[in-house]
Amino acid sequence: MRRTLSTITVLSTVAITLVASAGAPGAATAVATDPATYAQYGRVFPDPLACLRGDPGSSPWAKGDVCATGWLGWDETIAGLRFLESQHPRYLDVLNLREQLSHLPALLGEDLQSAGFLRENLERVRSDLHVVKVTDEASAIPEADREHFLVFLSLHGEEPFGREAGVRIVEDLVTWSACEDGGSAPACGTDGPFPKPILEPSGSGPTAGAVLDRSVVYLVLGNPDGWRQGELESGGIRRSRFNGNGVDLNRDWAALGYTEARYTPFSEPESRGFGRFLAHVKDTTSAGRFAATADLHNFGWDDQHFGLTLLDVEGDVDYAENATAVEFGVRTYRDAVERLKWSKNIAPPGDCPTTGHEEVLLVQVCPDAWGTAWETIAYTVTGAAVTWTSAPHGLGDRLDVTKELALALEQGAHLFSPLVYDPHFVQLGIDSNKGTVYLQLAQILQGTEASFAPGGRIGYLEDGQRTAHPGGSLASPLSGLPTQAGIDRIVLPDEVFEFDILGPDAGVHNGSVTVVAAYANVRTLSGQAVAGDLVLERCGLTDCEEVGRDTHPDLPSFYYLPPSGRIDVNEPDPGRYRLHHTSPVDEPVRYTISFGSGPSTGVPDQAPYDVSRTDFFVDLNDHVAEGSPPLEPITVEEILRGRRALDRFDTLVVTGELVPSDLDEKKQGTVLGRMRAWVAAGGNLVLTDEALTGLARLDVGLNEHDIVRGFFYAGWMDFSDGTSDTYRDPLADAVDKDGHVDLPFTFSGQVFQEPQQTYEPGPLGFVVSPLRFENFECLKDVCDAPNWVVSPAAWQAAGGRAAARTFVHLDIDARDGVEQTVGVSLGELPVGDGVVRIAGALLPEPTEANYHPFGLASHAVTPTGYQLFENLVTWSNPARTDGGMQGKGLR
């Protein structure tokens, strides 16, 4: 994997020289919480470069009359939001979930507080959970019928750009709406004239008043512990990625498909509280009114782009949702080009770097790029917030986005020193995040035109294969018994800690046990940094057996220092248990052990599902353009019954076996012969995924050993022949969209210049490694996403044309150095007057081989995958004039 980190430090040095001293001509070290300061600052939350607006090298979008000089603190942010609420109560409601909403049935039993970060005395400092609601209470549209939007602010506490931008987004929408309606605020005289569109660089989009009239925007202050832990007055110098329990809150949500077993969804009070609140909101809205989610992060390692826009393409994204996401991605890139060009560190599009840079002379990066998580940051995860918001058991959003801001100085500085606040880069982060959220609002409210106009008549082979489970529960017949009382104990470094878990003989039933180990938190440094794993064992007469291990933190301890460890075990057997660490702990540890009557985190034994990859075609029919024929299923039995059964199609798509292996040999030959004859007469046979094995039986010059089932992190293709791109090939037409990320990857020493992802692994049940980018080449953990490829030499010898290639391992576990290969994954092979087209990774059948408690998706096609499908089924045969095999291009 060829990427570097060197640029971050260089750019921070360069940027500091581009702005004046933060103290002049005006500076704000806090927020405005009274009318006099509000008037002086011009904003409740003034921007870092507000006092320099109009100067060379300063942002024209900076708001306020003075320059902010430091990161926002928790207490002052809440106070500022409360003051803004008092000024504009029609548009803003700052919700303290514990104080204001704990009476709701949906929230009963929840603490509605953070886990709490720890002080030196092992006492927790907990924070109430807050959600900011922005809408126009005077709107004539019933609230239940307005579009609902969700923005997560800094779920990772050490990534501050989300909350820095989020509170300023709130102030923009609220004050602009008030100004638009004739109200008064300092911004009315400086930000106007009003009404004005929210997309300032292009002067387009709806106005703030129109947005709040038609929508409700919820902004979640996602990780109070990680935020407050880094404030000097709270005893820390560095913020934490995790909450006070040492859990990454962006791995704690219930995702469709594969779930990493080390994560226990909704284990934390933050994700449970926010999740149950949001589910309550969904239940009070009209069907489908949760439209979109933005999750604002900053990642800090890409040296080519300032911003990365990650489109969430989790399972069963339909044609219209995909079109919306693609249009949003393109618009976000174009907006960033204009919005960020004020900075000397942002390169114009023509000078945008295309590769990583090792030298320290680089002073410019690209403004933004969009793509899937794997395409942009080299990995994806299970349990991210947007995987829940997009899931049917979550909010069912239609457009979900994660924003990564790559040049976050805190990422580069927080390893070695107190936080660095660089006004130039903080302003860039605020501007970039505003563009993302405002474009999301505009995209949904303005709508996207999307219809599928198939070229000619398209059929698909329906093989009847479905992957299904009726569902089940972990409920125990003993759940009516009371649970055991909890345990809270401080254990000294040299002390062995053992405890008993009781059972029905003692009159109790423990459906689960949860162990939290809390370490002294001095400036966020803790013994856990050198203590190894926390292990829970059940002990017999002679030895102890491991039953649980804390593996929540998925980054090296020297980089992110978790303040706590946690273990969850469901249905623990009664007996004697022991807690210890794999390395010595040189400080006291506070163990809190609690028992539940049911599963520790509400994870079902198995949610029901009934899925098939051919559901893709059924879903696609909902979006076929008026006057165009729908996609039609055809079975092998129909082909056997009618010699000319295929003649009604221009294109036939096969995703599974070309002919069933349990069919007798004569019938198999009949089906294969009729398919080949139909192709030779001018048909377009599209083979995807497993169907590629049928090439060896179609008499097209290929043998079984020429076709390989390989495995990789996800479904993907490289649109390059090794020397230049293949985007001019008709099968790759329109794949290279404006602003789509273009980062070369290196696998086993081979450079792939134009890699793009074709399907997501997780929603289909394929493994998503918790090692993140450390498993980028699939050499440190399992990668089982199937990618079918054809021998390049054999494909060329048969007369085929290659449009893409794919690197694969030949086994799901490549750690032992098993064989690898690069083969043709997209191409076309002429057969008579027709063609056979192949796509080796597009629509694999979902798998039940891995842990998937929340069910499976039928398909997980990415934007590139959707474009490839349109290209594959675009077919025109001038030899046919009877209205049958005639197609038109799809663009």
Side-chain angles (χ1 to χ4, degrees), residues 318-335:
D318 68 25
Y319 186 84
E321 291 169 341
N322 176 74
T324 298
V326 170
E327 184 176 331
F328 169 79
V330 172
R331 292 181 68 188
T332 301
Y333 166 74
R334 293 173 179 170
D335 177 86

Side-chain angles (χ1 to χ4, degrees), residues 121-142:
N121 62 1
L122 296 180
E123 294 296 327
R124 289 189 179 272
V125 180
R126 306 188 72 186
S127 306
D128 290 349
L129 302 185
H130 285 75
V131 175
V132 181
K133 177 182 178 182
V134 184
T135 192
D136 185 354
E137 292 185 359
S139 172
I141 303 172

